[in-house]
Amino acid sequence: MPRPALNPALRRLGALVGEWDMEASVGGRVVAYGRTSFDWLAGEPFVIQHADAEPAESAPQDWAAHSPFPVTTIVGLDDTSQNFSMLYADARGVFRVYQMTLADDVWTMWRNAPGFHQRFIGTFVDAGNTIEARWDRSGDGSSWELDFYVTYTRVS
């Protein structure tokens, strides 16, 4: 049986596929260095991410105790809204679902949960070889504060 044609919106995920060095910072201080990979899963309708990181020497002492790494995510497309959803799991036993868009060199993710709203905004620069991003958090979904910055640099 021939394989059905994939939704063209899935091609946008190709911007993520590959190996990336990762650096997280808080207050101008690097807290973690790591690596993340994005790969096609199940013949391309999904992308799976594996990320791991180690605390930087400049990280606060309690950072390692709260580190989410390693992290695994799976991204899929809703063909009606043309938005993506990301299933997230980390080493702390945290499991979340994020909404996601990826268009015009901007990668966004968000989660609206009572008492702990989150959003991620990443911009592709350097011909798509760097992603400069930030995670924000909010207790009420309207007043936001920076959680941390993260920079991804393509390795392959």
Side-chain angles (χ1 to χ4, degrees), residues 49 67-74 85-98 109 118 135:
Q49 175 193 22
S67 171
F69 295 103
V71 169
T72 301
T73 71
I74 297 176
S85 292
M86 176 185 278
L87 302 175
Y88 169 98
D90 70 28
R92 302 168 298 181
V94 171
F95 304 96
R96 297 186 176 143
V97 178
Y98 292 90
M109 291 182 280
Q118 293 174 282
W135 277 98

Side-chain angles (χ1 to χ4, degrees), residues 22-34 53-64 67 69 147-150:
M22 180 177 57
E23 180 181 288
S25 62
V26 175
R29 187 165 72 175
V30 175
V31 294
Y33 295 103
E54 295 293 326
E57 287 184 24
S58 60
Q61 292 212 328
D62 66 341
W63 189 88
S67 171
F69 295 103
D147 199 0
F148 61 94
Y149 290 104
V150 62

Side-chain angles (χ1 to χ4, degrees), residues 64-87:
H66 301 289
S67 171
F69 295 103
V71 169
T72 301
T73 71
I74 297 176
V75 179
L77 177 71
D78 180 312
D79 66 353
T80 302
S81 70
Q82 297 298 300
N83 286 332
F84 299 97
S85 292
M86 176 185 278
L87 302 175

Side-chain angles (χ1 to χ4, degrees), residues 1 9 17 28 40 42 44-45 54 59-60 65 70 75 85-86 91 103 112 115 125 138 140-141 143 149:
M1 171 181 264
V17 172
W40 291 109
E44 294 187 7
E54 295 293 326
V75 179
S85 292
M86 176 185 278
N112 299 319
V125 297
S138 172
D140 60 11
S143 299
Y149 290 104

